[in-house]
Structures are given as C-alpha cells and as structure tokens.
Amino acid sequence: MKKSKNDILQGTLTLLVLRTLEAHGACHGYGLCGHIQAASTDLLRVEEGSLYPALHRMEQDGWLRSSWALSEKGRRAKFYELTKRGLAQLEAEKKSWDRLTTGVALVLRPVE
Amino acid sequence: MAWHHRIANVFRSRKISRDLDDELAFHIAERTDELVAKGMSERDARREAARLFGSYTLQKEETGDMDIARALEAFVGDLKYGVRQLRLNPGFATVAVLSLALGIGANSGIFQLINALRLKGLPVARPAELVAIEKGPDFFQSGWFEARNPAYTYAQIERITEQQKAFIGVSAFGTAGFNLSKGGEAVYAEALFVTPNFLDVLGVKPVLGGWLTPETDPRDCSGAGALLDYNFWQRQYGGDLSVVGREISLNGRSFPILGVTPASFAGVETGRRFEVAVPVCADGIFSGNGQGRLTNKTAWWLTPIARLKPEWTVDRADAHMREISPVIFRETQPESYRADGIEKYLNNKLTAVPAGAGVSSLRERYEGPLLILLVSTGLVLLIACANLANLLLARASVREREMALRQAVGASSRRVVAQLMSESLLLAGIGAAFGAWLAYLLGRGLVLFLRGGGEQLEVPLGLDWRVVGFTAALALATCLLFGLAPALRATRTAPADAMWGGRGSASSAERNGLRRALVVAQIWLSLVLLVGALLFGQSLRNLMSTDTGIVTEGVLAAGVNSGLLDLGMERQREVYRRLEERFNALPGVVSAATVSNTPFGGNSWNESAHADDDAAATGGKNVWLNRVGPGYFRTMGTPLLAGRDFGAQDSPKAPKTAIVNQEMAEEFFGGADPVGRTFRTEAYAGSEDPVYQIVGLVTDTKYGSLREEQRAIAFLPWQEEAEMKNMNFVIRSQGGMGDVMTGVKGALAEIDPALLVEFDVLDVQVQRTVLRERLMATLSGGFGFLAALLSALGLYGVMSYMVARRRNEIGVRMALGAQPSDVRRLVFGEAGRLVLVGLAIGLASSFALTRYAESLLYGLQPNDLKTLALGCGLLAATAFVATSLPVRRATKLDPATVLRDE
C-alpha cells in the first residue's frame, strides 16, 4: 500500500465517513469532504487521495452502496449511501472508538 | 475482493476506468468551482484541485486495485511475507511441513499403486477400445487349469473368434514359465503363449525383427519362433541388434528369435512383465503327444483380449457376447463331462468388460486393501490438518495484534485472509513437494515388500498427470482445511479490542471452542484408525498361530523336473526313487519324501467323491487330493492317528489305497474310524469310477493357505501316477538349509546333469499365503500409530494453551488454598472430557465402518469388543501421557509469581 500523508488518523476515516453518511444521507465524495471538514469546525481535513480508495473498499465490503445522479449544480456524480451492514459497522466502530478515547483520556488525566 | 470480481474486472476494466474518471472529474470540477469562488483564477484553481488529489493517474491506479496483475503482485508479496514468517518460526514450520509431508506422501504413495493397478491405460494404441471376456455368474468349469487370469479352452477361443461380430480381432494369451537353463538349478523366464494376431490386436509393433502375420493359422507351427521383451533382450543379450534369427532354448526346445517388443510394452497383465512369448501352437511342441492343450477341451489356459470395432461400445459387445454364448458352449462340449456337468456347461454365459488398463489378478486381490489403505491415509491427513489448524489458531492469537493493526491501517478483511491463506498455501506446497518424494519412496517400498513376499510385481510407478493432479489437489484441499478457519477467525477481532490487550478478549472463548472440537475430531478419527490397525494386526496373528497340522520349520521343498530328458515312465519312477534315497542319506537330513502338490505351493487338485458303495448317488462331496510317498507324514510332522503309512506294497499293480484326514472321516463317515472303508471318485463320462480303500487316518492339515476352512483331504500313493515330469520332495533337516541345497544339487548332478531343480523353504511359502494380511497389518499399524501420535500432539498443544491461559485463575485458586491434586483434577478433567467425547464418536464410527474390512479379517468379528476396548485403552493412555506435561506445569505454578505478574 502506498504511503500517504494524512491529517486524519488511519482507520478513523471509515468511522468518519460512516457517521457523516448516517447524519446526511446519500452524498458524493466531494460532499463528504466538505461535511467532515465543516462538522469538525475545520479541525479535520479529508485528503482526496485516501477518501476514494476508502469509499470503494467500503462499497466492496458491503457497507455502502452507490448510484449515479445529478448533483446540486447539475453535474453527474456518484452518490454513496449507508447499507444496513454499514450501519451495524458504524455502531461497532463507535463503541470501540469510545472505549479507546475513554481509555486514552484516563491515561492522560493529570496526576493527583 | 472476491476472485470472481477480479476476473470479471479484467473484462470490465474499461467501464470501471471510465466510471472512475467520471467520479474523479466531478470532484475536481467541484473543487475548482470552490476555489474560483474564493477568488482564484480558473486555470490556477484547476491546477490546485488536481494537486490536492496528488497525482491524478496514481490515484486512479490506487482506487482501481482491481486487475489480475495487481492481484498477482499482491500474491507474490504475500508469499514473500509468508516465507519470512516461516523463517521466523522454524519450529512451527518444521512441524507443519513434516506432518503435511507425511500425510500427503502416504496418500500419494497408495494412490500411485492404485493408479498403476487400476487407472493407467496400457501403453498401446487406443487402450479404451480393448475388451476382456469374462465369465458370467455360476460359471461351470472343470478340468485342467493353468492360468492366472480368467481362462478358456482353445476350442472356446476359436468359436468366439468365429461367432463374434463386435471386434476387429480377438487375441488370446496364456501364461507360463519357460526354463532357460540346460540342467542344474532351473532359470525360469516369465512367458506367454499368444495367438498370431496378439500384437496386431493390441496395436504394438516390434522395434526389432517382426512377428507372425495376423492371418497365420494358430495351429500351424511351421513359422513358430520367440518374441522377446525389450528389457529381457537388454538384460540377456545386451541389446544385441543381431539377435533376430538366433536360437533360444525354452524348456529344452530350440526356437528362432523373431522379434523384440518396444520398451513401453510389458504385456497386458497389470503388474507383470513378460520376457518371452511364443505362439500358442508351441504348447504342442512342449507336450508329449505333439498336440498339447490346443485339442484338449478341458484345458483352460487362454485369456482373450479383443479390440472393439469403431462403432461398437463395451455394453453392446457385452450383450452380444451373452447372445452368442449358447452357440459357443454347444460347440465346445467336452466329451469327458457327465450329463449333469454338460447341462450346467451349456448354461454358461460370457460377458465383456473394459480392459484398457489391462487384465490383472493382482487387482482383484489388492484393490480392496488398497482402497482401505487410501481411506486410512486420508484420515491421517485429516488429523494432520486438524493439528495444523490448531497450531495456526494458537499462532493467530499471538498475531492478533498484527492483524488488527493491518486492518486499522486500512487493509480489508479480504486482504488479511488472502495474506494468511498464502502462508497456508506455502506450507501446503512445501509439504506436498516433500510428500511427493515420500510417496515415491513409499510406492517403491510397497512394490519391494510385495515382491519380497513372492508376489511377481512390475508396476510402472512413474509420475503421470493423475498422480501429479492428485497430489496437487491434496495440497490445495489441505491448505483450505487447515488454513481457512484460522484465517477467518483472525479478521473477526475488532482492531481496537486487539490493541487493548489480547488476553481475555471476547473472541478467544469461541476460538478455544473450535480448538477443542478439533481435538475431539482427532481422537475420533484416531480411534477408527487404531481399531482398524488392531483388527488387521490380530487377524495376522490369528493366521500365524493357526494350526496347520504341519511342522513347517526346517522343511525344504525341492521341485525336480525331468522334462529335458525323455525318460520312460519306468525310468522316471526309478530316478525319483533313487533321488529320495539319496536325499534321505544326506548329512543333517532327518527325513525326505515325495509329494505331488507341496502344501502352500499354489497347486491343487480336487474331485467329487462318494463314501463306500454309494454307487447310485450323483453330485458327490468335494475332496482335495494329493499324492505322497512313504515317509511324507513323518517328514511333515503330521501324526498318523490310525492305520498305516504308505509303503512298497502300494504299487501301481496293487489295489488303490488312500490315507484320509479327520475332516474327511467326519464328512464322509460321520466321524467313525474310516480305516478299512472305501470311497470312490467320479471318473470321466464313459470310464469306471476308481474306488480307494482307506488304510490310514492323519490329523487335519491345511492344503493351500492359512485362511482356508478345513478341507477334506485324501492322500494317494504317488507310485500310481502315470507320468510325472515334475516331482516335489520335502526334506526335513537340522542345521543349515544351504548345505542341504548343495547336497541335493550334487545328488541330481550325479544321477543326471540334465535334471532341473527349484528350491523353496516351506516356512517362506506359508508366509507368502498371508502376504496381503501382512501388508494390511503393517501399513494400517503404521498409520494408526501416526494418527495416535498426531492426536497426542494436538491434545498436548490445546492443554498447554489452556494451562497458559488460565494461569491467573490457577494461581488464584492455589493462593486460596487449592491443593495440587485439585489443579490436577481441573486439567485432567478438561482433557478427559475431550477424550471421552472423541472416543464415544469414534466407537460409533468404528462400529459402522469396520464391517467393510470383514473379508480381510480372520478369526475375529469386525466389531470385536476386546479390540474396541483395546483401541480405546491405548488412546486414553496416550492422551494421559500427552496431558501429564501441562498438568505438571500447572501444579508447579507459584501463586506468588503469578499474582505479581498480574
């Protein structure tokens, strides 16, 4: 696998994409970039170079399905939406993320 | 990605590429708009948008990870990684490769033999067209048999040739051994009598010289000569090209050499290679009357092999043979058969069967045993796979973090499975390569074993596509069997869980369940194999301890042949009598006597007989006959129970006498003392039945093999036999057999140097009759041992792992006051449960399966309870030993250390 510099921790991209699709419904790749950036108040920036491979992989894993439709500006775009399996995956990943952050927070809490 | 997606993608790649282009173009267009809105120029915005994507084409490649080339590249990468992993774990790699090699090797080795005996076509033109003619059910035949294969009289072959419409040609062959030596110890060449069209029907052309034309009259011996086998020509004549036209001496008669067959052609008998062939008419030359068996309607000696006409099938030919059977048998009735015999004879039916793989008596004898052995080796391989799966599962828990990390950084679960599977494939591949080598050794070993036991066996064991395909399929199947479950398991763990710390994670209980199930399966299969091995072992032991009624140790059988001399009947008898005297006088010899059929020697003679004056009765009881000289029973160590031995008074002119065994006394006289009573045997139609007066009673002896049911045997004095070119002597001696052999050869040379002799040790002859049983006992014993060993390893592995995982729990228990005996109970209890479940299923399967081996057993039932109990006991003991080590480790745990580690 080629290395790519990324602002987002590898492995969390899936979580972010799943969550965004859950919140906004069907969306194209470009829209996803925007939503994630906006939702994180510009703290997170998705790099295009890793977004599309991730989308295609998730589609093959059956978490997403895609269809071609016209965008808001009338361009032909590929829209992704969440499948049932995707939803289940999102729940699972959320849980493990929560545990991870709780754990890390506990470790990082100031020494008393 | 599923493989079918990948393959489909190769054909769809253009569409995918276009979709991808569209999708990315859309993204860039949107981004450009955004940048332009922020005030950038259209051109700069486009460039910036593309830059943000990294290299546009690179991107396409990365997203389009969808074609075969990339899949292959990934596979090669996986293999390289696999090699590195195995190098890091040499212990694991060795155990895995070794057990796979043993499993695959055993399977391929047995398969090679099955292939050679059963599947491989004869190396002739279009073997699928060849057909053998066999005998229908309840086939009635009586007379003189001298053939290894289903054989017919010459008259029948002639009629078949004449009547049939299904074949291009019908050829026939008879088997024989021709002596090449001119005196002293006989040297026999494997020989065939063949019809003139033999090579023509098979489509074989001599590589040197020629052979008779197919139109030659089979009875015309004017152009008769010998056809040499290629190997025989190389060995005996050093491949001399001028051999054609030279003379070869066969049984003392001279034949011109006509030609040499190609190296690839061994004959049509699977497992045998002929050395010399002569036309069927030559049988007349060897015989006293100049006619031989060609005119004898009760001499069964020729095996037909025919080639179908192009538009005919075997089924059609079969129907055709049944249809013409009545004509064939009506026109070949032997005059000597009695009325009831004729009636049955006319009802005989002929059938046609495919003979593309040759005809073989070996096949019948070894097909069943080989299939059982193949199933056994299959089970051993399954057990080995279970072991590997267990090892891989154990390793998977160690590599849980590695796999989690891979998934966390974006590897799809398919990629992880693919990577783990390529490691398994690598193991299976290396295992199969070593296995192929072991299979070669095993195949050769088996052939040597059978040959050493006296079985003539020439099988081409070379690799062909079937053996290679079988081995490759085994490797693939094993790879899937032992690799897939652990690989799928490995991807189930959620990355974060694994990062958290492997021990105690949710999936491990389930994974342990799988490992336990594998151990249960191993115990189960091992029990089946072990029970089989014990059954075969005990059968062999039962056979070996069978009372033969003969003290076989120390008896030498010497077959003397006076065929090279034209002695009259009187002279012949005189020579044999003098030889008997000389043999008795040899130093070290206790006693020597003559016998026409040496026990266990393979020859037999039976007749239908009636007790006393039961002259009116038809369809008498079967009695087995043998001719023996005075002193025979003393020599064989068979006690004479009543009456007398044969002596000088039993001359050809005196009334016919006989000595019978207990079984005959029982069957014919209801157990009363038979001495003084008479019996008659049925003679040919038109001649008077001979009546024999019984002069003695001996204990029961075996006639031809250890397995046979006790037969009714009547011994007749040998002096009564008309002409005997062959006479066997049994010689009991103390001390070396070598000295006796030298003495015998000296005595022969003194009387006439042209006398031939062949030696055999009676003990060895007896062993030969149980060769098949010995093969089964040895091999199944080996496989049973291997199975038990592998299962013990599996159990050991799982129990060790269990102790390691429950270290804390055991530590805490001990800290709270548990005694070592409690810990012992805990671990043994766990192992015991697995073993018990395995044994229970194993017992049920053994009950169901062993009856398939019934025909190969002797002296015990397939569901012999003692054997089943013994099998269970042996496995339980093995399991106990395998568990002891982990138990020791558990009781030696120091609670303090364990708790501190925690």
Side-chain angles (χ1 to χ4, degrees), chain B residues 8 30-31 81 156 190 404 494 520 541 571 628 677 768 785:
Chain B
E30 292 284 326
R31 177 74 74 210
Y81 184 77
Q156 289 164 347
E190 218 20 69
V520 167
R541 222 185 51 192
R571 268 282 292 152
V628 302
R677 314 228 354 215
R768 209 173 291 161
F785 174 75

Short mmCIF file of all heavy atoms in Angstrom, two decimals, chain B residues 8 30-31 81 156 190 404 494 520 541 571 628 677 768 785:
data_model
loop_
_atom_site.label_atom_id
_atom_site.label_comp_id
_atom_site.label_asym_id
_atom_site.label_seq_id
_atom_site.Cartn_x
_atom_site.Cartn_y
_atom_site.Cartn_z
N ALA B 8 -13.79 -10.84 -13.35
CA ALA B 8 -14.78 -10.07 -14.08
C ALA B 8 -14.23 -8.67 -14.38
O ALA B 8 -14.44 -8.14 -15.48
CB ALA B 8 -16.07 -9.98 -13.28
N GLU B 30 -15.88 20.29 -8.90
CA GLU B 30 -16.48 20.92 -7.72
C GLU B 30 -15.46 21.74 -6.95
O GLU B 30 -15.71 22.87 -6.53
CB GLU B 30 -17.08 19.85 -6.79
CG GLU B 30 -18.30 19.14 -7.36
CD GLU B 30 -19.58 19.98 -7.30
OE1 GLU B 30 -19.73 20.76 -6.34
OE2 GLU B 30 -20.41 19.88 -8.23
N ARG B 31 -14.28 21.09 -6.78
CA ARG B 31 -13.23 21.77 -6.03
C ARG B 31 -12.79 23.05 -6.77
O ARG B 31 -12.55 24.09 -6.14
CB ARG B 31 -12.04 20.84 -5.82
CG ARG B 31 -10.83 21.42 -5.13
CD ARG B 31 -11.00 21.64 -3.64
NE ARG B 31 -10.96 20.39 -2.92
CZ ARG B 31 -11.60 20.17 -1.78
NH1 ARG B 31 -12.36 21.13 -1.27
NH2 ARG B 31 -11.50 19.02 -1.17
N TYR B 81 6.21 -12.56 2.18
CA TYR B 81 5.97 -12.30 3.58
C TYR B 81 5.81 -13.62 4.33
O TYR B 81 6.34 -13.80 5.43
CB TYR B 81 4.71 -11.44 3.74
CG TYR B 81 4.45 -11.05 5.16
CD1 TYR B 81 5.19 -10.03 5.75
CD2 TYR B 81 3.49 -11.70 5.91
CE1 TYR B 81 4.96 -9.67 7.06
CE2 TYR B 81 3.26 -11.36 7.22
CZ TYR B 81 3.99 -10.34 7.80
OH TYR B 81 3.77 -9.99 9.09
N GLN B 156 -12.91 -72.93 -27.26
CA GLN B 156 -13.80 -71.79 -26.99
C GLN B 156 -13.30 -70.52 -27.66
O GLN B 156 -14.07 -69.76 -28.24
CB GLN B 156 -13.94 -71.57 -25.48
CG GLN B 156 -14.76 -72.66 -24.80
CD GLN B 156 -14.58 -72.66 -23.30
OE1 GLN B 156 -13.67 -72.02 -22.78
NE2 GLN B 156 -15.43 -73.41 -22.61
N GLU B 190 9.52 -65.48 -17.46
CA GLU B 190 8.08 -65.20 -17.48
C GLU B 190 7.65 -65.29 -18.94
O GLU B 190 8.14 -64.53 -19.77
CB GLU B 190 7.99 -63.77 -17.03
CG GLU B 190 6.92 -63.21 -16.14
CD GLU B 190 6.09 -64.09 -15.27
OE1 GLU B 190 6.62 -64.65 -14.30
OE2 GLU B 190 4.89 -64.15 -15.51
N ALA B 404 -4.84 -6.93 13.65
CA ALA B 404 -5.65 -5.77 14.00
C ALA B 404 -5.03 -4.50 13.44
O ALA B 404 -5.69 -3.65 12.87
CB ALA B 404 -5.79 -5.68 15.51
N ALA B 494 -12.15 -7.07 16.47
CA ALA B 494 -12.17 -5.65 16.17
C ALA B 494 -10.81 -5.07 16.53
O ALA B 494 -10.26 -5.39 17.58
CB ALA B 494 -13.27 -4.97 16.98
N VAL B 520 -11.25 -33.19 19.63
CA VAL B 520 -12.24 -34.27 19.67
C VAL B 520 -12.24 -35.03 18.34
O VAL B 520 -12.21 -36.26 18.31
CB VAL B 520 -13.65 -33.70 19.98
CG1 VAL B 520 -14.71 -34.76 19.72
CG2 VAL B 520 -13.71 -33.23 21.41
N ARG B 541 -2.04 -62.18 13.40
CA ARG B 541 -1.57 -63.04 14.49
C ARG B 541 -2.38 -64.34 14.53
O ARG B 541 -1.84 -65.41 14.70
CB ARG B 541 -1.68 -62.29 15.82
CG ARG B 541 -0.46 -62.52 16.68
CD ARG B 541 -0.61 -61.90 18.03
NE ARG B 541 -1.88 -62.29 18.65
CZ ARG B 541 -2.37 -61.71 19.73
NH1 ARG B 541 -1.73 -60.70 20.27
NH2 ARG B 541 -3.51 -62.10 20.24
N ARG B 571 11.62 -95.61 -16.00
CA ARG B 571 12.90 -94.97 -15.70
C ARG B 571 12.69 -93.77 -14.79
O ARG B 571 13.40 -93.54 -13.83
CB ARG B 571 13.57 -94.48 -17.00
CG ARG B 571 14.51 -95.48 -17.64
CD ARG B 571 15.85 -95.52 -16.93
NE ARG B 571 16.62 -94.28 -17.11
CZ ARG B 571 17.50 -93.84 -16.23
NH1 ARG B 571 17.69 -94.47 -15.09
NH2 ARG B 571 18.19 -92.73 -16.49
N VAL B 628 1.39 -88.61 -2.29
CA VAL B 628 2.58 -88.53 -1.44
C VAL B 628 3.28 -89.88 -1.40
O VAL B 628 2.67 -90.93 -1.66
CB VAL B 628 2.22 -88.10 0.00
CG1 VAL B 628 1.51 -86.76 0.01
CG2 VAL B 628 1.35 -89.14 0.70
N ARG B 677 -12.53 -98.77 5.27
CA ARG B 677 -13.68 -98.42 4.43
C ARG B 677 -13.19 -97.93 3.08
O ARG B 677 -11.99 -97.79 2.85
CB ARG B 677 -14.53 -97.35 5.12
CG ARG B 677 -14.74 -97.71 6.57
CD ARG B 677 -16.08 -97.66 7.15
NE ARG B 677 -17.23 -97.17 6.50
CZ ARG B 677 -18.17 -96.52 7.19
NH1 ARG B 677 -17.98 -96.24 8.47
NH2 ARG B 677 -19.28 -96.18 6.60
N ARG B 768 4.03 -66.51 2.44
CA ARG B 768 3.56 -65.93 1.18
C ARG B 768 2.03 -65.92 1.11
O ARG B 768 1.45 -65.03 0.54
CB ARG B 768 4.14 -66.76 0.03
CG ARG B 768 4.34 -65.99 -1.23
CD ARG B 768 5.07 -66.83 -2.24
NE ARG B 768 6.45 -67.07 -1.85
CZ ARG B 768 7.19 -68.05 -2.34
NH1 ARG B 768 6.68 -68.91 -3.20
NH2 ARG B 768 8.43 -68.19 -1.95
N PHE B 785 -0.50 -45.72 14.32
CA PHE B 785 0.49 -45.14 15.23
C PHE B 785 0.64 -43.65 14.93
O PHE B 785 0.63 -42.81 15.83
CB PHE B 785 1.82 -45.87 15.05
CG PHE B 785 2.96 -45.27 15.81
CD1 PHE B 785 3.05 -45.47 17.19
CD2 PHE B 785 3.92 -44.49 15.18
CE1 PHE B 785 4.09 -44.91 17.91
CE2 PHE B 785 4.95 -43.93 15.90
CZ PHE B 785 5.05 -44.14 17.27
#
